[in-house]
Amino acid sequence: MVEEIEFVEKDLIGEENLDVISEADRFNEYMYSAIKPFCKGNILEIGSGIGNISGQLINDGFKLMLSDVRGGYCNRLNEKFQNNKLFLGTEVIDIIDPEFDVKYSLHFGKYDTVFSLNVVEHIKDDSLAISNCKKFLKDGG
């Protein structure tokens, strides 16, 4: 059984937008085609939302760990992918958390690929966000 992750906050507008975007097949295919050539090995997606791109990666055989700052999205992702052996799980991750190095150190150096779509531009300290994301990468990732 998948453990339910506590809601950080309910994001009705964001979730509604993600549901609409999930229907935009061409847009999602375009976004996926832009990152696919750079994906390899174990992948961590930052800001997975409801999995609009995640499913395409899993369908193409990639092992994928999903994350979001909102526990509700992580719960939805767990339900969506829990029976897929390529799904590595979910975790609530805040890439600018002041305690980032303590909270997320178990993920450091663990992934071959880390990506984020439609997220970093919404973060006030995007340089810190990118710097922290690099910590998740293996050497050569």
Side-chain angles (χ1 to χ4, degrees):
M1 175 163 204
V2 176
E3 181 180 326
E4 188 164 307
I5 298 168
E6 182 180 329
F7 273 95
V8 172
E9 71 180 75
K10 186 70 173 168
D11 179 25
L12 296 175
I13 294 172
E15 191 164 3
E16 192 173 292
N17 289 337
L18 290 171
D19 284 331
V20 169
I21 291 171
S22 73
E23 304 281 325
D25 294 336
R26 285 191 190 148
F27 175 74
N28 290 316
E29 288 171 17
Y30 168 76
M31 296 294 283
Y32 178 56
S33 71
I35 65 164
K36 183 180 176 182
F38 305 101
C39 292
K40 65 178 183 175
N42 288 342
I43 300 172
L44 170 62
E45 181 179 6
I46 301 293
S48 304
I50 62 170
N52 290 336
I53 303 300
S54 316
Q56 293 182 57
L57 284 157
I58 288 175
N59 288 340
D60 278 350
F62 290 102
K63 291 183 181 177
L64 189 61
M65 176 72 176
L66 304 177
S67 73
D68 204 277
V69 71
R70 291 181 178 85
Y73 290 166
C74 291
N75 289 336
R76 192 165 166 179
L77 293 164
N78 280 331
E79 289 174 19
K80 186 174 185 175
F81 298 113
Q82 67 183 340
N83 295 321
N84 192 303
K85 62 184 174 194
L86 298 173
F87 173 56
L88 302 175
T90 61
E91 184 159 341
V92 174
I93 295 179
D94 178 353
I95 56 176
I96 58 167
D97 188 304
E99 300 294 319
F100 182 86
D101 286 349
V102 174
K103 289 183 179 180
Y104 309 114
S105 63
L106 292 176
H107 291 279
F108 289 5
K110 191 173 177 180
Y111 301 96
D112 301 289
T113 305
V114 175
F115 79 92
S116 182
L117 297 171
N118 302 316
V119 173
V120 177
E121 65 271 23
H122 300 287
I123 298 172
K124 187 175 183 176
D125 193 346
D126 55 350
S127 293
L128 175 62
I130 292 169
S131 176
N132 281 339
C133 284
K134 289 179 181 178
K135 295 174 184 178
F136 294 131
L137 288 169
K138 294 178 182 175
D139 288 340

